[in-house]
Amino acid sequence: MALTPIQKLELNKRVDRIFHAPSNAPARGHQPEIAFVTDVSGDIDAVHSSVRDAVASLKAHDRMFQNMRSNMVYWGREEITSKVTPMSFILMRNAFDHAFPCDKKTAETQVDPNSGLNTDQGSEVTGSFADRGNVVVKQDEDVDKSLDFEALCAYLKLYHARCRCVLVFVDRSYAELEAQNFYITDAEAAKQQLNPFLKYRLLILARDRMLTGSELMMRLIRQQPEEACRQS
């Protein structure tokens, strides 16, 4: 799933537009920050290859990315985890070391009413993420559970609101992603999570196409009249 030269060029341009959009102006005193979200339900090596290519392309494109704070977010069917990961670590192939599964012996689970997510407050947690103070969020355990876009957005707003750009890498073609409705189960909930700022910061990278959060929002808005017509 390595990025082609054309995809790298498109990525650089789209990320430039995200960072310089008036609707995505930085908060006073905050340094620029970026998050790389990876779909760990598929081929992790393929996704990691894309992330490395994206990091290398961005660092070569603009000096702004040389020392930018970066975060890795691991998006799975059963849990979402994240950790601060320098881009140099990503390039050295260290970003996925012990990423999944997160080995936990005991944990106390607290439900955040605002996010709808279960946050592990481990009293005795021994995973490579939890024992380093990183954020681990569990979702409902279900063998047939697919990825949950609304849960991802809630997680990003709760823990990575300072990131002015969020790149989401999925090991799917755009047609496959579209057929699964971008892992969205509730369009209204997805729109609420994308507002007020996440839609301006999100960029989804499938194998053969990219989609911004604003484009996804417009798609969700257009779906409403179509569904109403079908029901009538």
Side-chain angles (χ1 to χ4, degrees):
M1 195 179 158
L3 299 182
T4 67
I6 293 176
Q7 287 176 318
K8 291 177 183 178
L9 183 61
E10 181 183 0
L11 173 69
N12 294 341
K13 290 182 178 179
R14 284 181 175 265
V15 170
D16 273 346
R17 286 198 288 267
I18 289 173
F19 271 103
H20 296 102
S23 55
N24 192 23
R28 182 175 299 178
H30 285 181
Q31 296 299 316
E33 193 168 336
I34 191 170
F36 301 96
V37 180
T38 55
D39 165 17
V40 295
S41 67
D43 187 341
I44 293 181
D45 290 336
V47 173
H48 194 189
S49 176
S50 294
V51 176
R52 287 199 310 270
D53 286 352
V55 169
S57 180
L58 292 172
K59 287 175 73 71
H61 171 64
D62 195 319
R63 291 180 60 187
M64 173 177 69
F65 297 100
Q66 294 298 326
N67 297 306
M68 183 179 291
R69 178 185 172 98
S70 60
N71 306 270
M72 288 294 301
V73 179
Y74 305 94
W75 181 25
R77 291 189 177 95
E78 295 184 0
E79 67 182 19
I80 304 173
T81 65
S82 66
K83 64 176 179 178
V84 177
T85 309
M87 293 190 194
S88 58
F89 278 41
I90 298 174
L91 293 175
M92 290 189 297
R93 304 171 182 266
N94 293 337
F96 281 81
D97 287 352
H98 311 296
F100 272 84
C102 187
D103 176 34
K104 292 180 275 294
K105 286 186 179 179
T106 63
E108 297 172 359
T109 302
Q110 176 181 351
V111 178
D112 188 322
N114 297 319
S115 66
L117 301 173
N118 294 333
T119 307
D120 285 348
Q121 306 289 346
S123 57
E124 185 184 344
V125 182
T126 59
S128 62
F129 282 76
D131 59 10
R132 297 178 189 175
N134 296 290
V135 179
V136 179
V137 169
K138 290 199 68 178
Q139 303 177 75
D140 296 332
E141 294 186 6
D142 185 344
V143 174
D144 298 323
K145 183 178 178 65
S146 65
L147 296 173
D148 188 331
F149 180 78
E150 297 94 296
L152 173 65
C153 290
Y155 181 95
L156 292 171
K157 289 173 73 174
L158 192 60
Y159 297 108
H160 295 285
R162 294 178 61 175
C163 293
R164 288 177 55 209
C165 181
V166 179
L167 305 181
V168 182
F169 296 82
V170 291
D171 185 28
R172 302 285 188 277
S173 68
Y174 183 83
E176 291 173 328
L177 201 56
E178 192 175 35
Q180 297 185 55
N181 199 30
F182 301 92
Y183 303 119
I184 295 171
T185 57
D186 186 332
E188 277 302 318
K191 287 192 291 184
Q192 289 176 11
Q193 295 295 350
L194 286 169
N195 280 320
F197 60 84
L198 194 56
K199 61 186 177 184
Y200 300 120
R201 305 178 183 183
L202 207 65
L203 179 62
I204 301 171
L205 293 90
R207 292 173 186 162
D208 52 355
R209 186 172 168 183
M210 301 179 193
L211 183 78
T212 65
S214 296
E215 291 168 339
L216 181 57
M217 174 68 85
M218 292 304 300
R219 179 186 177 89
L220 292 173
I221 292 172
R222 286 196 300 266
Q223 280 180 350
Q224 282 186 317
E226 293 175 0
E227 291 176 358
C229 288
R230 284 198 297 267
Q231 290 175 358
S232 60

